[in-house]
Amino acid sequence: MEKYIIGNLKMNLLTVAERNHYLASFSTELKKSKFENSKIVLCPPFIHLEKFSGVFGGTQAEIGVQDIYFEERGSFTGEISPTMVKNFGGYYSIIGHSERRRYFGETNEIANEKIKIALKNGLRPIYCLGETEDERRRDLTFDVIAKQIKEAFLGIANTQADKIIIAYEPIWAVGTDAIPESNEIMEVKIWIRKMLSELYSQDIAEKIPVLYGGSVKVKSVKQACIDPGMDGVLVGRESLVPMEFLKVANIIDKS
Ligand code: PGA
């Protein structure tokens, strides 16, 4: 399966100068690489979407956003429509990120609404799931993930399910330097695929990419992605350093 190396730039690149500097250095680094088996996706803040898609459209990198609203148009002050994202050059949307769940009260049900409207608008959802530290301690990881899958995939047709990308991001590993052991990550991947085979079929389940996210860096990419056989990574902090992010991408692409 094709690999996905996705950068979540979060709420960074605060000035025009900073944004332009990032774009220039990313483009320079990108030209040095040729990816045979991977897709590179960058998810900047909404305000940079059009600029990013202008710079990278037609090159090796594709563009996404970090969230969408679950309506297409109307009186929803401050929200961003999936149709708008598509029309301004986005092809992906992260949905259900743990920071959205923690700070903005997003639930599996909201993620389900967002996944449906993303698919309707031709955006590929990158659905984030994973357990908290407390759930892990109480041995609830597999139950939590089963619920996160069942509730978020509710009503998604067979023909649409394989457009979704899943990112397993243990919440205790996001923004820290901690990473689960490779065998733990692999067990979660097997569990996710089992859940998906029960909901759809084994054939469809195997077409749904399962990525790892949380503290991915050059030094941890083997443990986090290659050894557990993940289909790519969702990278936060390290995606702000183009050279390091693309090193991670190259390691995965050549593995
Ligand atoms: P991190 O973030 O790589 O900085 O841990 C990952 C994410 O939030 O997607």
Side-chain angles (χ1 to χ4, degrees), residues 115-242:
I115 289 174
K116 284 190 201 151
I117 200 112
L119 292 169
K120 177 165 176 261
N121 282 276
L123 295 176
R124 288 195 70 178
I126 303 159
Y127 175 52
C128 299
L129 50 75
E131 78 286 2
T132 61
E133 191 165 15
D134 180 55
E135 287 160 349
R136 176 176 153 94
R137 210 170 347 167
R138 288 160 52 214
D139 223 0
L140 293 173
T141 299
F142 291 89
D143 295 340
V144 167
I145 290 174
K147 193 165 179 313
Q148 287 170 330
I149 291 191
K150 279 191 200 128
E151 294 181 354
F153 277 75
L154 201 67
I156 311 282
N158 283 9
T159 49
Q160 292 275 283
D162 65 359
K163 312 264 182 337
I164 300 170
I165 296 169
I166 292 182
Y168 168 51
E169 298 209 311
I171 294 169
W172 52 272
V174 171
T176 64
D177 264 329
I179 290 203
E181 295 302 325
S182 297
N183 65 319
E184 295 177 280
I185 299 175
M186 192 192 284
E187 277 170 24
V188 169
K189 180 184 177 183
I190 293 169
W191 178 247
I192 290 173
R193 285 265 158 77
K194 181 172 179 291
M195 292 289 109
L196 294 169
S197 327
E198 283 169 16
L199 288 179
Y200 298 98
S201 65
Q202 195 176 337
D203 190 42
I204 292 175
E206 275 165 18
K207 287 193 187 128
I208 300 178
V210 182
L211 320 186
Y212 172 81
S215 301
V216 175
K217 298 184 166 63
V218 170
K219 68 173 175 10
S220 60
V221 65
K222 185 173 180 295
Q223 177 179 341
C225 177
I226 294 165
D227 290 350
M230 304 306 276
D231 306 309
V233 286
L234 178 55
V235 183
R237 286 156 295 164
E238 209 71 344
S239 67
L240 290 166
V241 188

Side-chain angles (χ1 to χ4, degrees), residues 19-31 55-56 242:
R19 191 262 321 268
N20 290 348
H21 180 262
Y22 181 86
L23 286 170
S25 79
F26 202 97
S27 302
T28 308
E29 292 301 325
L30 194 60
K31 281 194 198 108
V55 169
F56 293 118

Side-chain angles (χ1 to χ4, degrees), residues 9-23 43-45 47-48 52 239-240:
L9 299 177
K10 305 197 181 183
M11 200 174 71
N12 293 297
L13 307 182
L14 303 192
T15 63
V16 172
E18 204 185 332
R19 191 262 321 268
N20 290 348
H21 180 262
Y22 181 86
L23 286 170
C43 299
I47 201 159
H48 300 317
F52 269 63
S239 67
L240 290 166

